[in-house]
Amino acid sequence: MRPILIASPRTGSNVVCDKLFNIARDNFGYKNNLYEFFNINKIVQSLFSIENNEIIHNLNLRVYTQWYQDKYKLQIGRLNLLKNTHGNYMIKLLSLDVMDEVLDYIFSNYDPIFLERKDKINQFCSWLVLYTEQRKAHNMKSKPLNVINKLNYNKDYLTDFIFMLQEYDRIKNFYKSIFLTKYNERHFEENMQRITIFNEDIKNNVSEVS
């Protein structure tokens, strides 16, 4: 088996990806966890290098406009890198502008595991925190945990979020036999220090702004 995780953002996919990597490393000879290997976004620049014929993952937490504009070219480059190293790696594929060439290779060479978040409203709230100016409240290392009581959004962010979910469904439809994992909110208690917590009334305090 060659598992790969496929999810939309803000579903707890990092936690699940880490757990899957531990299983795949011990049972299927996986070398490294490459996380969002094929996903190019405006917030995090993931860098990859070759060491001892293995792909190594690094992070550079800065915004790069040109980096994002070249996302399709970068995806093809990473696809060739994966093919040339002939290694087994854990990859987390998020539903964000993934090229069909990448999907074709994934579904021909890996066993996809799909992860969904049941509470889509809280997922949208988490999406707003990370992908808007409100992300300063998202600090995974803060203790005690951040508590957010109110969020603002505009229609563009809601449209992007809906497109993201539609893209996830499109990717899922590529594959006929689906292993679907669902989990309850706050299920992974040992990883709670990495999660931003919303006030219980947050759903009543999400306001549209122009």
Side-chain angles (χ1 to χ4, degrees), residues 31-32 49-56 85 87 89:
K31 296 180 179 180
N32 295 310
S49 58
I50 299 293
E51 296 182 15
N52 299 320
N53 202 35
E54 293 184 11
I55 303 176
I56 304 298
T85 53
Y89 301 93

Side-chain angles (χ1 to χ4, degrees), residues 60-138:
N60 192 0
L61 302 178
R62 293 177 58 187
V63 176
Y64 288 87
T65 302
Q66 185 63 41
W67 156 269
Y68 185 70
Q69 291 174 347
D70 292 340
K71 57 185 175 181
Y72 296 121
K73 179 181 178 180
L74 288 168
Q75 282 186 28
I76 292 300
R78 291 183 180 182
L79 178 59
N80 292 331
L81 185 64
L82 189 64
K83 292 178 179 178
N84 293 335
T85 53
H86 307 293
N88 288 338
Y89 301 93
M90 178 53 62
I91 296 172
K92 179 180 71 171
L93 190 68
L94 295 181
S95 54
L96 296 170
D97 296 331
V98 181
M99 299 180 67
D100 286 348
E101 291 91 332
V102 172
L103 294 177
D104 289 339
Y105 180 80
I106 290 298
F107 291 124
S108 297
N109 294 276
Y110 286 86
D111 299 295
I113 296 176
F114 291 88
L115 175 68
E116 298 177 2
R117 185 168 180 172
K118 183 177 180 180
D119 191 335
K120 295 299 190 292
I121 297 180
N122 262 347
Q123 183 180 355
F124 178 56
C125 292
S126 182
W127 164 266
L128 281 176
V129 170
L130 187 61
Y131 287 90
T132 70
E133 68 280 358
Q134 298 160 108
R135 65 177 176 266
K136 61 185 179 181
H138 185 280

Side-chain angles (χ1 to χ4, degrees), residues 136-194:
K136 61 185 179 181
H138 185 280
N139 183 356
M140 294 186 294
K141 295 182 179 180
S142 71
K143 295 181 181 180
L145 297 175
N146 291 318
V147 176
I148 301 172
N149 297 297
K150 182 178 176 60
L151 289 170
N152 296 317
Y153 77 96
N154 60 38
K155 289 184 179 179
D156 290 340
Y157 285 109
L158 180 58
T159 300
D160 289 344
F161 178 76
I162 293 173
F163 172 78
M164 175 188 74
L165 297 182
Q166 292 173 334
E167 182 68 4
Y168 171 81
D169 287 335
R170 183 184 77 88
I171 294 173
K172 191 167 63 172
N173 288 335
F174 264 69
Y175 207 65
K176 303 303 180 183
S177 178
I178 295 174
F179 179 80
L180 180 62
T181 298
K182 292 187 178 181
Y183 66 96
N184 294 325
E185 296 292 322
R186 309 185 186 185
H187 179 71
F188 298 109
E189 295 297 331
E190 71 273 21
N191 290 282
M192 284 306 298
Q193 70 275 11
R194 300 174 59 185

